[in-house]
Amino acid sequence: MQETIFSKIIRREIPATIVFENERILAFRDINPQAPVHILVIPKKIIPTLNDITPEDAPLIGELFVVAGQIAQAEGIAETGYRTIFNCRDDGGQEVYHLHLHVLGGRPMRWPPG
Ligand code: AMP
């Protein structure tokens, strides 16, 4: 699997503001935040896109959402609400090909997205 800048963040080769870590998952603040709270929750395992998730990954993908909910609580946006997004490939607006769940909050989100 092709490494990305997120592998370097996992290995602490480039800095990031990390807000959560366990054996399987890392979460850190987006370097170009699109909302007052913008955190990326990623599996340490390299899964390039949503297309590459396998049935064996199901517990890991579920845990990404459990962690996202815990982060929302910790960041104080659980009550006001927030948005979670996986962008997939070109039309989905994906730039980094290492699966990541965006957690955005702290302001009202528009719908539909552009
Ligand atoms: P996506 O367009 O869904 O692939 O999102 C990639 C996200 O990664 C963007 O929101 C970027 O701002 C963010 N990003 C890229 N490089 C870094 C970095 N070094 N540290 C934190 N976030 C980053």
Side-chain angles (χ1 to χ4, degrees):
M1 290 291 186
Q2 191 70 36
E3 288 202 347
T4 69
I5 194 164
F6 288 176
S7 290
K8 292 183 169 32
I9 290 175
I10 292 167
R11 293 197 298 263
R12 308 296 205 275
E13 291 171 7
I14 63 169
T17 305
I18 292 168
V19 299
F20 175 89
E21 181 170 26
N22 68 15
E23 298 80 7
R24 298 166 297 282
I25 290 173
L26 189 72
F28 52 91
R29 296 192 191 281
D30 196 293
I31 204 167
N32 183 24
Q34 302 301 309
V37 175
H38 188 173
I39 290 167
L40 304 176
V41 186
I42 73 169
K44 291 184 177 177
K45 175 184 177 184
I46 298 176
I47 302 172
T49 80
L50 276 181
N51 294 340
D52 303 301
I53 293 171
T54 65
E56 299 82 66
D57 294 321
L60 178 61
I61 303 307
E63 192 178 5
L64 292 179
F65 285 100
V66 173
V67 169
Q70 292 170 346
I71 288 171
Q73 287 285 352
E75 295 287 322
I77 58 171
E79 293 304 317
T80 48
Y82 55 98
R83 183 169 290 173
T84 55
I85 302 172
F86 283 113
N87 294 324
C88 184
R89 300 189 66 89
D90 287 353
D91 283 358
Q94 184 174 7
E95 292 176 355
V96 179
Y97 278 61
H98 182 131
L99 191 72
H100 49 282
L101 181 60
H102 293 259
V103 179
L104 296 138
R107 66 165 173 82
M109 299 292 150
R110 290 180 299 278
W111 191 263

